[in-house]
Amino acid sequence: MKKAFLLFAAVVCSVLAGCASGPSPSGTKAEVGDAGIGFGYYPLDPMPVKTTVTDKAAVLKLLPDETIRMAIGEELREGGITFGPARTGVANRNYVVIVDYMKYTTQVLPAKTYTDSTTRKKLAVLSPKADEVNASVPIYIGIGLRMTASIRVLKGEVDLGNLFGLGAAAKAEQITGTLIVQNMGIGSRTTTDLLPMPSSINDASIQAAIIALSAIKAKVYDAEDPVPRVLGIYNTLGGTQETINMIIGDVLLNAPPFPPGPGTVKTSQTTQPAAGAVAAGAAQ
């Protein structure tokens, strides 16, 4: 579990340092494009939103979409995790396999991309002036469940996308690791009681985790106190670890509104915040 959340912990430390020195990460620049990190879904440790919605039925109504996503990441030597399309694990490397069930809505974090006149590198900055926006990063806000397998491949190659195959690989002593299930904002004593304890990866623990996910998912509409969180992003910028740090830092210090408040724009599918839009309310 500790390794699975190294990225988030590192970002929190860097953000706190930024608070002490004054500047907001909204002005931070990061190199983007095809350098180092894949485009696509990045699960995040749940982060707060600004909301005034407390009614259970109203919260669930504002989360119209449901999905199950899998993300496979490799731990980098320099720290952090890079997620991408690779599904095969190789010996002597560490991986994280995350399966998310989300009931969610999508908002957009506005961005500006440009080419530096000196270095000729493609850079991005978040939350620019409204007339400078030429890119965006979708962020997923909602409630859900997460199963995280932190894996060390000991020998050979392993299909990381096959959950039951991971149990077989553990039995064959190809991998070692831990498995946890996380409740993300569902807010129910019943669902908390159904969460399995963290355990080592094997056939039994994987089966128990899947059963728990199914049982808790069936009780989402019985949630006593659902609290929406930022659960993930879709990285449209590419870039390096610095890019992901920039996005997380901006979300942490500028919690997105739920639901979107004055100054928002709508798309055909979701309501999304315009640049600089902030809704009144307390961060939860």
Side-chain angles (χ1 to χ4, degrees), residues 134-185:
N134 60 7
S136 61
V137 177
I139 57 177
Y140 303 114
I141 296 173
I143 60 177
L145 298 162
R146 174 170 294 160
M147 180 172 70
T148 302
S150 300
I151 298 167
R152 170 76 174 176
V153 179
L154 302 176
K155 58 184 178 181
E157 295 185 348
V158 177
D159 181 3
L160 300 174
N162 183 341
L163 294 179
F164 290 105
L166 293 178
K171 187 175 183 180
E173 298 184 347
Q174 279 188 278
I175 66 170
T176 185
T178 58
L179 188 70
I180 65 168
V181 176
Q182 182 180 4
N183 180 335
M184 302 186 295

Side-chain angles (χ1 to χ4, degrees), residues 4 7 64 66 70 82 93 100 103 114 123 133 140-141 152 163 177 240 243 260 278:
L7 168 61
E66 295 186 52
M70 173 179 280
T82 178
R93 293 188 181 179
D100 280 350
K103 183 169 177 57
Y114 62 97
L123 303 176
V133 174
Y140 303 114
I141 296 173
R152 170 76 174 176
L163 294 179
T240 65
T243 312
V278 177

Side-chain angles (χ1 to χ4, degrees), residues 35 45 62 69 79 85 87 106 118 136 152 155 185 192 211 228 231 257:
D45 209 43
L62 289 165
R69 292 179 179 266
R87 295 171 60 92
T106 306
T118 302
S136 61
R152 170 76 174 176
K155 58 184 178 181
T192 299
I211 291 173
L231 304 180

Side-chain angles (χ1 to χ4, degrees), residues 4-17:
F5 297 112
L6 279 176
L7 168 61
F8 184 74
V11 172
V12 170
C13 291
S14 65
V15 169
L16 291 178

